[in-house]
Amino acid sequence: RQRETNQTVMFVNHHGPLPVGTGGRCGGEATAYNILKLIAEEAYQGDTIVLVGDFNAGPDASTVRSLDGHLFPVATGKSFGG
């Protein structure tokens, strides 16, 4: 919680399933749904949401595309060819 404004930040760290770009056993859309469901259940109205992590997915993967429809991307990148 930010002391001067009393604003709360919800910080979520996600480590994506393998193999890279698949979304795992349930697929990328289900993975994105579960992330969004967690945020919806745990965040309060007015919270700033920060979602970070190694998604094991490129920018065109279904997980990332599904999240893009609900969250505002600020930064993205690649490392180790991922």
Side-chain angles (χ1 to χ4, degrees):
R1 185 172 303 270
Q2 209 280 343
R3 291 182 183 151
E4 284 115 27
T5 65
N6 207 31
Q7 184 174 7
T8 302
V9 174
M10 180 181 191
F11 191 86
V12 181
N13 184 11
H14 171 69
H15 192 286
L18 294 173
V20 170
T22 65
R25 184 176 294 160
C26 296
E29 289 180 7
T31 299
Y33 171 83
N34 286 329
I35 292 168
L36 294 169
K37 181 178 178 214
L38 171 81
I39 292 169
E41 290 174 349
E42 299 298 327
Y44 293 96
Q45 186 173 355
D47 284 357
T48 297
I49 309 298
V50 179
L51 173 60
V52 301
D54 174 0
F55 286 73
N56 285 330
D60 294 327
S62 59
T63 302
V64 176
R65 286 193 325 263
S66 295
L67 290 170
D68 279 348
H70 300 279
L71 301 172
F72 300 104
V74 175
T76 187
K78 292 171 105 177
S79 65
F80 305 107

